[in-house]
Amino acid sequence: NLSNGGNYNNVTTGVLSINNPAVSMNGYVYHCVVTGTCGTATSNSATLTVNDPGKWLGSVSTAWSNAANWECGVVPGAGTNVTINSGTTFSPVIDIAGAICYDLAIASGATLSFSGITNGIEIKGTIFNNGTFNTTSGKLTFSGTTQSIPAGTYRELSMNGAGNKTLSGAVNINTALTLTNGNILLGNNDLTIGNSGNISGANASSFVVINGTGALRQQNIGAAGRTGNVIFPIGIPPASYTPVSITNSGTADAFSVRVIENVFSTYSAADAPTGD
């Protein structure tokens, strides 16, 4: 009862061709019916097995870079949707600087971490985290178009893909935020750069967009801390880059910066202009 087209070719011959089967087709059962002058004959059934190229098996080690730990025997690429389930012998650890995938799904009870600060992963799609993703070590790069950055604490974040990346909650960065291409939209969430952190590479094509009540906050600015001009690369949508520079010669402190449209004479609060 099959027809040619889509995944199937040669449906009325002795050899059925199945092209690019989806993972959802795993377990499909097929048999061949031959009809002739003496009646019909039905073959034994054959079950289709489709391995998931992004499914973590973790049967050999914790190493992300070891192909034997993945169901298809291939380390994920830029177009691979990765799934990490709980209950594997080894939980994955990103042990290379160039790990990459499209979507990343971490199931409940599963964990993902980095083996060192020089290792990192590039995400081109979406992170679905129902387990534990330890991002306080290593580097996370968002290089897709429209993406969401999960709330949490990161050692290092990098923006390198056209389009907007939106915070889904408060984000803290301990070491470095690199802005190369693509904006970060705060919404109503704060983006905080820690005591030893810094921001680099911002430009008119990649900055922090103030589009709600959230602010860009940088800690430890001042004497015995971060001295000189500290740049806050902020702006308003759609593409108004209006960076602010703060120099504090006094005691080191944390500073939060926002920008809104128009000029007002007075404010009753940070977000409540009362003049014209």
Side-chain angles (χ1 to χ4, degrees):
N1 61 350
L2 299 179
S3 59
N4 288 320
N7 297 111
Y8 301 113
N9 287 323
N10 305 320
V11 299
T12 59
T13 72
V15 179
L16 173 67
S17 297
I18 305 176
N19 308 307
N20 300 316
V23 174
S24 60
M25 295 172 66
N26 183 56
Y28 277 24
V29 178
Y30 302 84
H31 59 256
C32 181
V33 179
V34 180
T35 301
T37 57
C38 294
T40 61
T42 303
S43 72
N44 293 331
S45 62
T47 301
L48 177 67
T49 299
V50 184
N51 291 325
D52 185 346
K55 184 178 180 180
W56 172 262
L57 296 181
S59 55
V60 176
S61 67
T62 63
W64 178 287
S65 64
N66 190 334
N69 283 317
W70 299 95
E71 187 168 85
C72 272
V74 178
V75 177
T80 306
N81 293 327
V82 168
T83 301
I84 299 169
N85 294 315
S86 62
T88 58
T89 302
F90 297 98
S91 294
V93 175
I94 298 170
D95 61 323
I96 52 175
I100 189 171
C101 68
Y102 194 78
D103 289 345
L104 172 63
I106 305 172
S108 176
T111 63
L112 176 63
S113 59
F114 297 88
S115 63
I117 61 175
T118 61
N119 296 322
I121 184 170
E122 181 178 345
I123 306 294
K124 291 189 168 295
T126 304
I127 296 177
F128 303 96
N129 183 18
N130 293 309
T132 301
F133 188 11
N134 185 353
T135 55
T136 57
S137 180
K139 178 181 179 180
L140 195 62
T141 299
F142 288 88
S143 61
T145 51
T146 301
Q147 294 179 280
S148 177
I149 301 175
T153 299
Y154 300 85
R155 181 184 185 277
E156 186 173 355
L157 273 184
S158 177
M159 303 298 115
N160 192 22
N164 294 324
K165 284 74 175 166
T166 302
L167 300 192
S168 62
V171 167
N172 299 283
I173 300 174
N174 291 335
T175 301
L177 171 63
T178 303
L179 298 168
T180 303
N181 193 14
N183 296 327
I184 300 178
L185 275 60
L186 299 187
N188 296 328
N189 305 298
D190 287 348
L191 173 61
T192 301
I193 309 300
N195 289 345
S196 301
N198 66 82
I199 302 174
S200 64
N203 54 64
S205 298
S206 187
F207 58 93
V208 177
V209 175
I210 307 298
N211 63 325
T213 59
L216 175 58
R217 186 170 187 265
Q218 299 198 59
Q219 298 175 332
N220 199 32
I221 298 175
R226 300 166 62 193
T227 57
N229 292 332
V230 178
I231 302 297
F232 289 71
I234 61 173
I236 57 176
S240 178
Y241 181 43
T242 316
V244 176
S245 175
I246 291 180
T247 301
N248 178 26
S249 59
T251 302
D253 205 345
F255 292 82
S256 296
V257 173
R258 301 181 64 256
V259 60
I260 59 176
E261 292 188 273
N262 301 321
V263 177
F264 300 93
S265 59
T266 58
Y267 291 81
S268 60
D271 303 307
T274 56
D276 294 326

